[in-house]
Amino acid sequence: MHSELVISNDISLRALNTFGIDARARHYARITTTAQLAAILADPALAALPRLVLGGGSNLVLTGDFAGLVLHLATQGREVLPGDGEHVLVRAQAGENWHAFVQWTLDQGLGGLENLSLIPGTLGAAPIQNIGAYGLETKDVFHSLTAFDPLSGATVTLDRAACRFGYRDSIFKQQPERGLIVLDVTFALPRAWQPNLRYTELANEVKSEQPTPREIADAVIAIRRRKLPDPAVIGNAGSFFKNPVVPAEQCAALLARFPALVHHRQEDGTEKLAAGWLIDQCGWKGRSLGAAGVYPKQALVLVNNGGATGADVVALARAIQADVREKYGVGLEAEPVFV
């Protein structure tokens, strides 16, 4: 066994998932170097176990105890790279806190990530989930990433095309059987920065005529703090459902029946519906089912009101999905991963 490796047994994961669900892991290892990761996965007994790679645990619903090995990525490090005439490159390790990384880029005088301020989780999850908010997605500022391939024991580099980004989607979700583990991510931030104020709510929050990246970040933080609960206070996984994308004809038919329907036309002509509005209209905002509930200020967020199990969260999510489907004929897809 690798000298640096410590494998712990029967560990509570309550503090390692933002929902605060008290599930347990049969085996657990905190990973601070790639060498540790390689050593674990080179051990046949450990490599054969069911595996859960954990970052900030902010996009996760633990539906029960995990009978395998949890690899908790806690690698640290961030750097500014030379880039080219149009972009500055910044690279950080997968275990870095996402929001702290965004704030650090602003401290370096670099704009481009400010719209993604205050999203919970770690850096490694950003490309997996193609996280996005206020008119910006990871793919828009992504350069490349390094991942560990457990099948070959080698590290591989993936560029934007190789990541096959979609709405809250990527190659990591499309081909989970490959088991690629993100080690670090490099972003290309524009030298000729322009504010992204496509979202009306954000544009209204920004007071300056010519805002700086920091002012936009502060506006995003203010909006998110008003609307979303702090996971340190109320367990949650952020936005729980993806905004459903429907054909223009279906949206038009819905608008004929529900003129107040909140929708956004997409570049390909489809329409993205506001999941929070659909849930709110079905009467779920502020309601609970068992120890799990819908946040009173934002219907898109499911919360742990104290002692909620994964089963409680799943039951609530299914009840909401059933009501939205019955009223609007629209399916809601959960954002978090159920384990």
Side-chain angles (χ1 to χ4, degrees):
M1 182 60 64
H2 203 263
S3 59
E4 296 175 44
L5 287 182
V6 179
I7 308 290
S8 305
N9 300 318
D10 190 29
I11 295 294
S12 170
L13 299 175
R14 184 175 177 180
L16 298 177
N17 72 99
T18 59
F19 240 115
I21 294 170
D22 194 12
R24 303 188 77 79
R26 184 170 294 173
H27 308 290
Y28 166 89
R30 188 172 186 269
I31 306 296
T32 55
T33 67
T34 303
Q36 286 178 332
L37 183 64
I40 283 180
L41 297 177
D43 182 309
L46 293 174
L49 293 169
R51 191 160 62 234
L52 171 62
V53 179
L54 197 59
S58 62
N59 195 48
L60 190 67
V61 177
L62 297 168
T63 59
D65 293 340
F66 188 71
L69 172 63
V70 169
L71 298 174
H72 182 202
L73 280 184
T75 50
Q76 299 291 300
R78 47 201 185 193
E79 58 185 325
V80 179
L81 305 169
D84 56 28
E86 292 185 10
H87 296 95
V88 179
L89 300 183
V90 287
R91 177 182 297 150
Q93 300 299 304
E96 285 278 349
N97 175 276
W98 173 260
H99 176 64
F101 168 70
V102 172
Q103 300 309 295
W104 175 80
T105 63
L106 295 172
D107 290 341
Q108 311 308 305
L110 301 172
L113 292 172
E114 57 283 342
N115 291 48
L116 302 181
S117 294
L118 211 63
I119 293 178
T122 51
L123 202 105
I128 295 173
Q129 183 72 359
N130 186 22
I131 61 172
Y134 300 106
L136 182 73
E137 289 183 319
T138 303
K139 69 175 177 60
D140 301 327
V141 281
F142 179 86
H143 179 271
S144 58
L145 62 78
T146 309
F148 185 82
D149 182 355
L151 298 179
S152 67
T155 56
V156 293
T157 300
L158 278 67
D159 62 10
R160 187 187 312 194
C163 287
R164 289 178 28 190
F165 291 121
Y167 173 51
R168 301 292 178 270
D169 196 24
S170 68
I171 190 78
F172 300 92
K173 291 181 151 190
Q174 295 154 18
Q175 298 181 357
E177 68 282 354
R178 284 183 71 182
L180 293 176
I181 299 170
V182 177
L183 299 175
D184 63 55
V185 187
T186 303
F187 295 91
L189 303 183
R191 293 187 189 274
W193 176 83
Q194 293 288 323
N196 176 352
L197 296 171
R198 275 179 285 177
Y199 262 62
T200 308
E201 185 180 21
L202 180 57
N204 292 341
E205 184 77 23
V206 173
K207 303 297 184 269
S208 171
E209 287 289 311
Q210 295 180 307
T212 64
R214 173 69 69 187
E215 286 171 326
I216 291 177
D218 288 345
V220 168
I221 291 166
I223 294 170
R224 291 185 73 93
R225 285 198 169 131
R226 277 202 304 272
K227 287 170 52 170
L228 304 171
D230 180 349
V233 181
I234 303 171
N236 74 91
S239 296
F240 197 89
F241 296 104
K242 298 178 186 179
N243 290 317
V245 177
V246 301
E249 305 77 34
Q250 185 179 355
C251 183
L254 283 167
L255 279 167
R257 293 172 55 210
F258 309 101
L261 177 74
V262 179
H263 61 103
H264 300 282
R265 172 64 59 96
Q266 303 302 289
E267 288 175 4
D268 62 2
T270 58
E271 296 275 356
K272 186 184 286 185
L273 310 183
W277 186 89
L278 299 173
I279 296 164
D280 192 3
Q281 295 301 304
C282 287
W284 276 104
K285 191 193 265 188
R287 273 178 65 192
S288 293
L289 201 62
V294 181
Y295 191 54
K297 294 182 185 176
Q298 171 54 273
L300 207 49
V301 178
L302 305 194
V303 295
N304 179 352
N305 288 321
T309 63
D312 291 334
V313 176
V314 171
L316 175 62
R318 285 185 177 152
I320 292 168
Q321 286 168 318
D323 281 2
V324 169
R325 186 178 289 282
E326 185 181 352
K327 184 169 182 176
Y328 296 102
V330 172
L332 290 185
E333 191 182 338
E335 271 196 37
V337 177
F338 293 81
V339 176

